[in-house]
Amino acid sequence: MEFGFTEQQRHLREVTRAYLAERYPPDRVAALADGAGHAPDGWASLVELGWRDGDLGLVEQAVLADESGYALHPVPWWSTLCAALPGTAPATVACHDDDCATLDAAHRASAVRAVAGPGGWRVSGVKRLVPDLAAVTEVLLTAGTAEGVALFRVRRDAAGVTVVDRAGLDGLRRPADLRLADTPAEPVAGVAGTPAALRRLRWRAYTLLAAEALGVARRAYDLAVAHARTRTQFGRPIGAFQGVSFRVADSYVAVELAHSLVYRAAWLAGPDGDRPDGTVDEAVAAAVVAARDAAVRGCEHAIQVLGGIGMTWEHPVHRWYRRALWIRGFDAPSARHRAGLARALLGS
Amino acid sequence: MSLVDLNDSTEQAAFRAGLRAWLRERLPEPAPDGAPPDPADLRDWTKQVHAAGYAGLTWPVAYGGRGLSPVHQGIFAEECALAGAPDQLNVIGLNMVGPTLIRYGTPAQQERHLAAILAGDHVFCQGFSEPEAGSDLAAVRTAARRVPGGFVVDGEKLWSSYAPLADHCLLLARTGPDGPRHRGLTCFLLDMRAPGVTVRPLRQINGAAEFGQILLDGVRIGDDCVVGEVDAGWAVAMTTLAHERGTFGVTLNARLSVQFDRLLATVRATGHADDPLVRDEVAQLHVEVQALRWTGYRALTGLQRTGEPGPESAVLKLHWSHVHQRVCDLAVRLLGDRAALDGPDAFWAGYWQGQLLRSRGNTIEGGTSEILRGLIAERVAGLPRWR
């Protein structure tokens, strides 16, 4: 039994961290959050670095997601990996609509209808709160056919597509509604294959989101530590006061515990594993619950340690707090993940 | 390209299977309702473990051990907890005193004690804490006065695990009262049957007496019982405590998993399996237990690779203690008004009430939560010392 990074994975983390730190310092991230919402030149550079390579395992992708959360990497990479469409174009996933509130039910119903005609499939309807829609060129979506829900892809610039931008809490992962009117669509998975494809999508989306949350928690911890070391009050660095240092220590504990669950989930949920579905479901749920909490509480601790400066728009900590809240609000709340765990532990 | 392998290696799997078979053969069947087993004869169990070759797994072969990895020690701890095996009476001798003597002991001390520790003939306790030296261990007052051929010791030790059953004690005493506090301390091997040694069982919050108070009144200790150098006992004591932290996290986690299974059995037995609030709380505790378990494996891997416990091991005991308290607390709440009972009339004869009371000590013993948070803040986060 061995539970630690390999040399290559450590190396991957180091080069990723250095790349993101140099390219996306907090002031640039803040400017993008208040401006375009993503770095227009970021995607080509990421593809060049191999972030879309097919040979990356889920553990390696989790390392990249972890570092992306740490830096607030302003590109739609997570959304693209969720969609997992072939090719290197930026993409996103659109499952939520009036008939589908959570991913775990996305194979059952969709408010978007798909109809087969002589020229191929056409989809119509509205998808809600699609992340990163403005920054991508492809969309994977669920749509109801006569036989049941299936997966399709559409181009964002296709006929009949209207993107309605919504004001978002996180300026770097903006939501938009996707209106489709007789839009040409290409089938990705049929009705029979859709439940399994959505299950894999859910594992991937949540595992990488938990990894990103871990990165957010680590950044919040680092911001708190740096301030506690240098900020002086009553003649000493505030980190010397237990009220401050204990809060920092609690953040560290939450980070380490979430780290273990995130990388265990990444190992179990990877495509090369043939683990029972239940085992992966439980591991992913545990990682999500722990990492979301670590991110939100870590940011809240950091803001408290930072004091007044942490309450300003100028200080970047709220950028990570906004991301943490976005992650917490994504799809199903943690209570629903815990309900799944309770079913496994106590029956339904 | 897989970074981690969370499965046993072939060799580890064989070790686990052999151990599991041995435990099944030696231990009674677990109760069908998940109730904990009755307390066993601890000394007899320690001897059985030794006879089967499971004592001193990580000790070097040259000193009578098996020379196996910390992972094997972890597997042993896990399987014993899962099988409901009794505690090892000589846990202090095996995990703390033995490795300390291997590093600091004289050949004569090693000859005298190591084989006997493995066999369960020399059961050790630890004489560190005192009424005025708890978290501030360097404040020990027990004094060892130089006399020809050795020392005479006077003082009082508290919270000494297994003291009422122990044959020997690893004792920390002041030999040089002047100068900085960490200097002038010496570690001794004390025979608990020496004249002047009195042990009083310490009745705890739950009524049990697993700890003792050791009174030392003019106790004579020979020069051959000094561990390491005179006045350099602080380093020896720290080594002992570091060994405690090594694979102890895995042992704690394994016991917590078992305790969590008992909680599930209690949820069902008390008719709460459909209560959504209880289900939510149980699921959250499951997340915490799993987080500790896998952090324990990370710590073990770090120990295996570097020989030193990594920073993640600092969080294990701290978080374990709080989670165990929450498990016990939920279990007692599940009992409703029957929580007011104790003894034979109570659910599982008052098991959870006793566990909850005892668990309050988890955030105090082996480094209080305050000391551990301070350690993380100083050594991991690099924050300035508060004192």
Side-chain angles (χ1 to χ4, degrees):
Chain A
M1 200 210 61
E2 184 104 5
F3 189 16
F5 291 115
T6 62
E7 270 312 309
Q8 289 134 302
Q9 285 157 346
R10 253 198 294 270
H11 179 69
L12 176 69
R13 183 186 284 282
E14 277 160 28
V15 298
T16 304
R17 186 175 302 181
Y19 163 77
L20 293 173
E22 201 226 318
R23 197 176 173 102
Y24 302 109
D27 53 349
R28 178 159 191 235
V29 167
L32 289 168
D34 294 338
H38 64 279
D41 59 339
W43 191 259
S45 156
L46 162 162
V47 171
E48 197 176 308
L49 282 172
W51 285 50
R52 289 290 293 126
D53 285 3
D55 63 348
L56 286 181
L58 192 55
V59 171
E60 287 73 21
Q61 290 175 339
V63 169
L64 299 178
D66 185 350
E67 290 304 325
S68 293
Y70 188 87
L72 287 185
H73 191 188
V75 294
W77 179 73
W78 171 77
S79 307
T80 303
L81 284 198
C82 292
L85 294 167
T88 57
T92 189
V93 174
C95 287
H96 300 87
D97 56 38
D98 284 352
D99 291 343
C100 171
T102 51
L103 282 175
D104 58 3
H107 58 286
R108 293 206 195 99
S110 173
V112 170
R113 302 298 305 164
V115 180
W121 288 90
R122 303 254 165 183
V123 290
S124 302
V126 181
K127 291 289 182 184
R128 306 262 179 229
L129 302 183
V130 182
D132 291 330
L133 188 54
V136 303
T137 57
E138 301 258 7
V139 184
L140 177 78
L141 58 96
T142 48
T145 70
E147 284 77 40
V149 174
L151 282 164
F152 296 88
R153 70 194 284 185
V154 299
R155 291 195 54 82
R156 205 198 43 173
D157 60 3
V161 170
T162 314
V163 172
V164 183
D165 289 326
R166 307 277 298 267
L169 179 71
D170 180 350
L172 295 165
R173 185 167 284 153
R174 298 183 182 181
D177 291 346
L178 176 67
R179 295 174 181 276
L180 304 156
D182 223 18
T183 301
E186 187 188 322
V188 172
V191 172
T194 289
L198 280 170
R199 185 184 276 263
R200 282 194 302 276
L201 186 155
R202 199 155 41 82
W203 288 346
R204 209 162 52 235
Y206 269 119
T207 301
L208 294 175
L209 204 62
E212 186 180 279
L214 174 63
V216 170
R218 288 192 300 109
R219 186 58 173 260
Y221 165 79
D222 280 356
L223 289 170
V225 166
H227 191 72
R229 277 186 198 153
T230 50
R231 166 73 172 172
T232 299
Q233 289 284 273
F234 305 104
R236 54 209 302 208
I238 61 169
F241 299 112
Q242 291 179 326
V244 174
S245 67
F246 283 12
R247 194 181 280 278
V248 169
D250 285 342
S251 287
Y252 175 78
V253 171
V255 164
E256 289 302 322
L257 294 169
H259 174 114
S260 306
L261 290 176
V262 163
Y263 286 99
R264 167 193 174 229
W267 187 75
L268 286 171
D272 47 331
D274 52 351
R275 291 92 191 181
D277 287 353
T279 306
V280 182
D281 282 340
E282 287 163 42
V284 172
V288 168
V289 170
R292 277 175 165 170
D293 265 4
V296 173
R297 293 200 9 237
C299 288
E300 289 168 352
H301 283 183
I303 293 168
Q304 182 67 24
V305 169
L306 285 158
I309 189 72
M311 286 304 299
T312 63
W313 185 266
E314 191 189 352
H315 195 281
V317 67
H318 70 97
R319 311 289 178 182
W320 279 275
Y321 190 34
R322 285 162 186 273
R323 176 57 56 87
L325 294 173
W326 190 91
I327 292 170
R328 188 171 70 177
F330 170 73
D331 192 49
S334 290
R336 191 175 171 94
H337 293 275
R338 284 195 296 269
L341 289 170
R343 267 196 301 283
L345 294 164
L346 291 165
S348 44
Chain B
M1 186 156 82
S2 160
L3 104 144
V4 281
D5 188 355
L6 306 183
N7 297 321
D8 285 340
S9 68
T10 315
E11 190 275 321
Q12 288 162 357
F15 176 79
R16 192 187 290 274
L19 172 61
R20 199 174 278 184
W22 181 76
L23 287 166
R24 206 170 19 236
E25 184 187 303
R26 293 302 165 112
L27 292 169
E29 283 286 309
D33 66 348
D38 291 330
D41 181 335
L42 294 183
R43 199 175 275 263
D44 177 60
W45 178 249
T46 298
K47 287 186 177 298
Q48 287 192 50
V49 167
H50 172 249
Y54 291 117
L57 292 176
T58 57
W59 290 24
V61 175
Y63 295 98
R66 295 272 303 271
L68 296 173
S69 72
V71 172
H72 290 83
Q73 185 70 40
I75 291 171
F76 179 78
E78 248 175 25
E79 292 299 324
C80 283
L82 291 172
D87 287 348
Q88 261 184 302
L89 174 62
N90 207 7
V91 63
I92 293 178
L94 288 167
N95 293 352
M96 299 165 72
V97 178
T100 303
L101 285 182
I102 288 170
R103 169 140 175 215
Y104 287 104
T106 64
Q109 288 168 347
Q110 292 170 348
E111 175 78 17
R112 205 184 318 149
H113 289 293
L114 291 181
I117 287 172
L118 289 173
D121 292 328
H122 286 192
V123 170
F124 264 84
C125 64
Q126 191 188 23
F128 285 9
S129 295
E130 295 183 7
E132 301 301 326
S135 290
D136 185 9
L137 186 58
V140 297
R141 292 178 177 179
T142 292
R145 192 162 36 85
R146 246 270 168 246
V147 295
F151 295 82
V152 171
V153 186
D154 291 281
E156 177 185 348
K157 293 288 175 182
L158 258 188
W159 298 116
S160 179
S161 313
Y162 301 112
L165 297 167
D167 309 294
H168 295 270
C169 174
L170 186 70
L171 181 78
L172 187 65
R174 189 160 295 287
T175 37
D178 305 324
R181 298 187 317 155
H182 295 79
R183 296 194 204 136
L185 292 170
T186 302
C187 266
F188 295 97
L189 296 162
L190 168 71
D191 185 339
M192 293 295 280
R193 291 179 188 89
V197 177
T198 310
V199 177
R200 289 196 194 134
L202 197 61
R203 194 161 187 224
Q204 298 150 218
I205 188 170
N206 60 348
E210 65 189 286
F211 297 97
Q213 176 191 26
I214 307 172
L215 299 171
L216 302 162
D217 180 14
V219 179
R220 173 92 206 202
I221 300 184
D223 279 329
D224 61 337
C225 292
V226 172
V227 184
E229 301 292 317
V230 172
D231 290 344
W234 184 254
V236 178
M238 290 304 108
T239 305
T240 306
L241 294 176
H243 280 293
E244 182 180 23
R245 284 193 284 269
T247 53
F248 197 48
V250 174
T251 306
L252 295 178
N253 287 340
R255 288 188 197 157
L256 181 61
S257 290
V258 174
Q259 196 77 309
F260 182 77
D261 287 343
R262 289 183 187 139
L263 174 68
L264 293 179
T266 306
V267 169
R268 292 194 189 95
T270 56
H272 287 93
D274 298 324
D275 181 331
L277 295 178
V278 169
R279 289 171 72 90
D280 190 69
E281 217 174 321
V282 164
Q284 183 63 42
L285 286 168
H286 168 78
V287 172
E288 312 282 356
V289 170
Q290 291 299 317
L292 279 165
R293 180 172 171 214
W294 293 96
T295 304
Y297 294 149
R298 271 173 70 205
L300 210 53
T301 298
L303 187 66
Q304 181 111 309
R305 285 180 182 177
T306 66
E308 300 286 328
E312 62 281 340
S313 59
V315 314
L316 284 175
K317 193 271 172 181
L318 175 59
H319 197 62
W320 164 82
S321 60
H322 292 278
V323 174
H324 186 226
Q325 288 176 346
R326 283 162 58 193
V327 167
C328 295
D329 184 70
L330 174 57
V332 171
R333 279 185 283 127
L334 292 171
L335 303 180
D337 59 0
R338 287 182 295 161
L341 297 172
D342 200 358
D345 287 345
F347 182 82
W348 287 356
Y351 175 77
W352 284 118
Q353 288 90 331
Q355 288 289 299
L356 174 58
L357 289 161
R358 176 64 185 82
S359 76
R360 301 316 307 175
N362 297 159
T363 45
I364 299 168
E365 61 204 329
T368 65
S369 293
E370 289 73 20
I371 288 291
L372 295 175
R373 285 193 180 100
L375 271 177
I376 290 170
E378 277 176 35
R379 302 209 186 146
V380 182
L383 297 183
R385 292 170 74 93
W386 58 273
R387 55 191 189 275

